[in-house]
Amino acid sequence: MSGSTKTMGYMTVGALVTVTAYTVALGSSGWLWFGWVVLGLCTLGMLATQDV
């Protein structure tokens, strides 16, 4: 796994923690969850297309 893919993975996990904390503290926001799903799909795309 390349450095940029690891960084993207860490950012995705960090965003999940942040969005979950926001949801618990202030209530759900559909746009935040949508953004996290898009970020997760981008991360999966990076994993799928990287050279081995």
Side-chain angles (χ1 to χ4, degrees):
M1 188 181 315
S2 71
S4 60
T5 306
K6 280 184 183 180
T7 302
M8 189 75 162
Y10 292 139
M11 286 176 52
T12 302
V13 172
L16 176 61
V17 170
T18 303
V19 170
T20 302
Y22 181 92
T23 298
V24 168
L26 300 174
S28 184
S29 172
W31 284 110
L32 286 177
W33 285 106
F34 175 75
W36 183 81
V37 168
V38 170
L39 180 62
L41 290 173
C42 290
T43 303
L44 287 175
M46 286 179 69
L47 284 169
T49 59
Q50 73 179 4
D51 295 331
V52 176

